[in-house]
Amino acid sequence: MLLLLQYSSDAYSIDRSYCAAKTKTSVYKDGDMVVAAFLPLFTITIDSASDNRSNNNFYIQLNLKNYQIVLAMVYAIEEINRNPHILPNVSLGYDIYNVLFNEWFTLDRCITWISGPKKYMPNYTCRREMKSIAALTGISWIISSNIRTLLELYRYPQLTIGTFDSNLNNHEQFHDIYQIAYKDMYLTHGIVSLLNYFHWNWVGLVVSEGRNGFQIISEVRAEMDRNKICVDFVELIRVSEVSYLPSYLLNPTHLVKSTANVIITYGDSDFLRGFMLYSRKIFVTRKVWIMNSDWDTIIQSQHFILHSFHGSFIFAHHHKETSGYRNFIQTVNPSKYPEDFYLARFWFYSFNCSFADDDCNTLENCLTNASLHETPGSRFDMVMTEFAHNIYNAVYAVAHSLHKMLLHQVEVRQVRKAEDLTFSAWQLHPFLKNMQFTNPAGEQVSLDEKMKLNAEYDILNYWNFPEGLQLKVKVGQFSPYGPLGQQLSLSEDTIEWPTEITETPRSVCSESCGPGFRKTLLEGKRICCFDCIPCPENEISNETDVDQCIQCLDHQYANTAQNHCLQKSMTFLDYEDPIGIGLSCIALCFFALSSLVLGIFLKQKNTPIVKANNRTLTYVLLIALNFCFLCSFLFIGHPNTATCILQQTTFAVVFTVAVSTVLAKTITVVLAFKITAPGRRIRWLLVTRAPNFIVPICTLIQIILCGVWLGNSPPFIDTDSRSEHEHIIIMCNKGSVTAFYCVLGYLGALALGSFTLAFLARNLPDTFNEAKFLTFSMLVFCSVWVTFLPVYHSTKGKDMVVVEVFSILVSSAGLLGCIFAPKCYIILLRPQRNSLQGHRDKIHYNYKTY
């Protein structure tokens, strides 16, 4: 840090020596043509230790970053003077003025340049000749704007080296200003790309107030909205506040209270420098700063090690290194440039020099081998900064324009020597307006706004741990010309994060919703603030922070974590399933039992109990029950077209045969009782075996119903992907549901009729009367199928098939057990009762007991 002068509101004191305090109006070196420059070489800093605003101490500090701009200008002019291809036989000089962010001070220096050092009055010059051909201004738009008000009166070409300002593109208003910097149209894209890279969606904005500030807020917010990034707060600070007011007057309250861990600042280097000083005063830590410009680092922090800006990111324009510049910096010294009194003062303070007794321009007793890149306590960049590159290109733009104009004059009239060249500075405008050239570093430079290139950015990481390191390390690059998605490149391994942060920091309003969850916005909050809720059933989310979950396809299902859709497996009621095995075994057992009963009845066909109640119907019923048990196998196994058609039709027909047989047997019992009564004339019905015709007639009706069903909408193979979560069920679709219920309803009507007749005939006094057994069997049968309907409709998938098969087996077993179990008991265990004599003895025994 270099302390030149110290002011107070009441006193003026000279620091260290008269020669050290002595200054000149400008740094001037003569030439055939002279390029002027107006640069803020010093920075005024207010001592904020005192709260007394009427007695503040002002420190004037040499800004090394801005002084490097002077050296870059000198280097460019020397390089051009040595180049035989640009302005041969014409030498360039320079006239460099120091200005501050003060309109009066800036205009005073500008008038001095135009009118001469005595400044008698405007529009009058004390200079014998005016060699200046252009003015280079910057680095702030405030300086350029203040100078413009005066230069536009004389139509002097003004080249600004500050950040590109789109507001200066209006050539009707600013027809004499040319911007050297690349366009910053993609700066917001670069910043947002960095935010997206680290998944930061909750940030703060600190912007210098003014035209560019409001414009950048609009651009940044628009780009952030497109990328779903939210701004926690926006703090606008006037440049004058940052530059001149004590830090206790600055009160961006959001900066301290914000939960955002990433803060974007936008402004020129002086704004950032002043704000950096303020942020150290309030001791902001654990924040990642993203800045659009570089700053000088000569301010010493009040907080050792815990530096507020350690780990910050800086977006700086990418430039190719200029060969020879590094060697130029190493050879710069006051003896080589005696006209540069700034360099002499810097040497005086940095290398313990002393001035000669009789000459304030001669230094003595300096450190051996003193050089700028070895300055004690300061770090001087050996490569050009952004604004140094701009002034380097500005000097070349002026030189190329002057070269073209001189060639034009030579073509028009004969010129023998440089002294014969006479022109006004405004004559450069036609040549500057369309100037395009390639600088010695190989970069394309254009002053034509339509042809101006967009900037590429180096992403610098600021290291200041331990305190005083003050390194800016390139950790990445952003190029708008790169392929989409590959414009940003970063080297994460080289990134240093703020103190106390060991891994990539997070800056979010709400933690991300992981796979299997979706976001739900909170009422009255920004879109970055949300809650996470699980995806609905059979929906997934395989990304983070999704707004809607994705429904799995019909042939897929969501896994437990609901982050992936799995393929459903095909399934059906198989013989290998435990339920399939169980139902198959039950069906085989009952089939075997029914066959055994049929065999017993065939063997005992001449016994009274078999002959009673129509032996033929008994055989038909047993055979029908056998088929009822066997038809359950049509529902088990892989469905096909044949089994789908046979399932319901076979079930309907064989059960119709069984129920109609029971109906016929019931009618037989009733007729048998009726013909025993005296005077009855219906004996012919029993003799002609009329009940036997009930079975084929009822069966024929059912067959007709099934035929209509198969003709209009037959059953077919179908799949059910919704009933079971992980399986697609292969099943038989009934086709016409109406036809199915008509068939079932017809079967139910027969069963109800049989039950009614049997119930009425249950107490008829006939030998071997089975009306009670028929009544109970029909009660079981009807109970099973009445229960079947609600259960069947409340189940899904394979369970529907299981319910139907189970109902078939239970109802068939009910008929077999209720009708034939008592008869088999008599045949096998009470054979004496299976005869007329045994029946008479039983009656006689009962009579005697009575």
Side-chain angles (χ1 to χ4, degrees), residues 538-790:
N538 210 37
E539 292 187 11
I540 66 161
S541 64
N542 51 13
E543 297 178 356
T544 58
D545 293 339
V546 298
D547 296 318
Q548 294 294 333
C549 298
I550 303 172
Q551 178 76 41
C552 288
L553 300 177
D554 289 341
H555 62 276
Q556 296 176 330
Y557 69 96
N559 60 353
T560 305
Q562 289 187 281
N563 59 4
H564 189 65
C565 287
L566 303 176
Q567 194 73 21
K568 289 184 176 181
S569 59
M570 296 290 184
T571 186
F572 48 87
L573 184 59
D574 194 10
Y575 288 107
E576 297 180 356
D577 291 343
I579 297 179
I581 294 173
L583 293 175
S584 299
C585 292
I586 293 172
L588 286 174
C589 291
F590 279 115
F591 172 77
L593 183 61
S594 178
S595 299
L596 179 63
V597 173
L598 179 61
I600 292 172
F601 270 60
L602 288 174
K603 186 176 180 181
Q604 303 290 331
K605 62 181 179 180
N606 294 320
T607 59
I609 199 168
V610 175
K611 294 171 64 177
N613 301 111
N614 199 326
R615 180 173 52 188
T616 303
L617 291 178
T618 301
Y619 294 155
V620 172
L621 178 58
L622 287 171
I623 293 172
L625 289 176
N626 275 337
F627 280 105
C628 286
F629 291 125
L630 290 177
C631 79
S632 61
F633 288 101
L634 294 173
F635 294 86
I636 305 173
H638 195 294
N640 54 57
T641 304
T643 56
C644 285
I645 293 175
L646 290 175
Q647 275 181 6
Q648 304 301 334
T649 55
T650 303
F651 156 73
V653 171
V654 296
F655 265 82
T656 299
V657 172
V659 175
S660 61
T661 302
V662 173
L663 178 62
K665 290 175 70 66
T666 305
I667 292 175
T668 300
V669 172
V670 174
L671 291 177
F673 172 75
K674 293 295 183 181
I675 63 174
T676 58
R680 296 293 183 181
R681 299 181 180 180
I682 56 175
R683 180 181 177 84
W684 64 273
L685 291 175
L686 192 62
V687 174
T688 59
R689 298 182 181 275
N692 291 351
F693 293 99
I694 294 176
V695 175
I697 292 173
C698 293
T699 304
L700 180 61
I701 295 173
Q702 186 70 285
I703 291 173
I704 292 173
L705 290 176
C706 291
V708 174
W709 181 5
L710 296 178
N712 291 330
S713 181
F716 57 90
I717 299 176
D718 197 5
T719 57
D720 179 9
S721 60
R722 299 183 181 277
S723 297
E724 293 191 15
H725 184 61
E726 300 180 8
H727 301 97
I728 296 177
I729 302 172
I730 304 175
M731 57 184 295
C732 291
N733 190 304
K734 294 178 176 57
S736 174
V737 178
T738 302
F740 170 72
Y741 284 111
C742 287
V743 168
L744 202 62
Y746 175 71
L747 187 61
L750 291 178
L752 185 62
S754 300
F755 171 73
T756 303
L757 286 176
F759 181 78
L760 295 175
R762 69 188 185 282
N763 293 321
L764 293 178
D766 190 18
T767 304
F768 303 113
N769 182 12
E770 60 180 358
K772 292 182 180 179
F773 305 142
L774 295 176
T775 302
F776 192 64
S777 68
M778 284 295 98
L779 179 62
V780 173
F781 185 88
C782 292
S783 299
V784 169
W785 289 104
V786 168
T787 306
F788 162 79
L789 291 176

Side-chain angles (χ1 to χ4, degrees), residues 44-219:
I44 295 179
T45 303
I46 301 174
D47 183 10
S48 58
S50 173
D51 293 335
N52 186 0
R53 298 182 60 183
S54 62
N55 189 22
N56 291 321
N57 293 323
F58 295 83
Y59 295 93
I60 299 179
Q61 299 171 328
L62 179 64
N63 189 321
L64 292 181
K65 294 292 181 184
N66 291 357
Y67 181 68
Q68 192 200 49
I69 302 173
V70 173
L71 297 180
M73 180 179 178
V74 173
Y75 173 71
I77 289 176
E78 289 184 354
E79 198 173 48
I80 292 170
N81 288 337
R82 293 193 303 265
N83 191 339
H85 302 292
I86 303 177
L87 297 176
N89 302 320
V90 176
S91 63
L92 289 181
Y94 48 81
D95 194 6
I96 302 171
Y97 292 84
N98 173 44
V99 296
L100 294 174
F101 288 152
N102 180 284
E103 187 173 6
W104 177 89
F105 194 92
T106 302
L107 290 177
D108 177 76
R109 292 306 170 98
C110 189
I111 293 174
T112 300
W113 170 61
I114 294 174
S115 302
K118 294 186 178 181
K119 299 175 288 188
Y120 287 106
M121 64 182 66
N123 299 326
Y124 179 81
T125 179
C126 297
R127 297 182 184 271
R128 293 183 179 180
E129 56 180 348
M130 186 63 171
K131 295 182 179 181
S132 297
I133 53 175
L136 312 183
T137 63
I139 54 176
S140 168
W141 68 270
I142 297 178
I143 295 175
S144 297
S145 178
N146 290 337
I147 294 177
R148 178 190 65 85
T149 59
L150 187 60
L151 293 186
E152 68 181 0
L153 299 176
Y154 301 92
R155 292 212 60 194
Y156 264 103
Q158 181 182 354
L159 287 77
T160 64
I161 65 169
T163 304
F164 185 85
D165 188 347
S166 59
N167 296 301
L168 298 178
N169 278 344
N170 186 352
H171 288 288
E172 294 181 0
Q173 183 179 0
F174 307 105
H175 48 270
D176 296 331
I177 294 182
Y178 305 93
Q179 299 190 77
I180 299 298
Y182 292 130
K183 289 183 178 179
D184 275 327
M185 291 181 61
Y186 288 92
L187 175 61
T188 55
H189 293 262
I191 293 175
V192 171
S193 297
L194 183 67
L195 297 177
N196 284 331
Y197 184 90
F198 291 112
H199 307 290
W200 294 330
N201 64 4
W202 188 241
V203 300
L205 283 178
V206 178
V207 182
S208 60
E209 191 176 281
R211 295 177 301 174
N212 287 348
F214 290 114
Q215 181 178 345
I216 198 67
I217 290 174
S218 175
E219 293 176 358

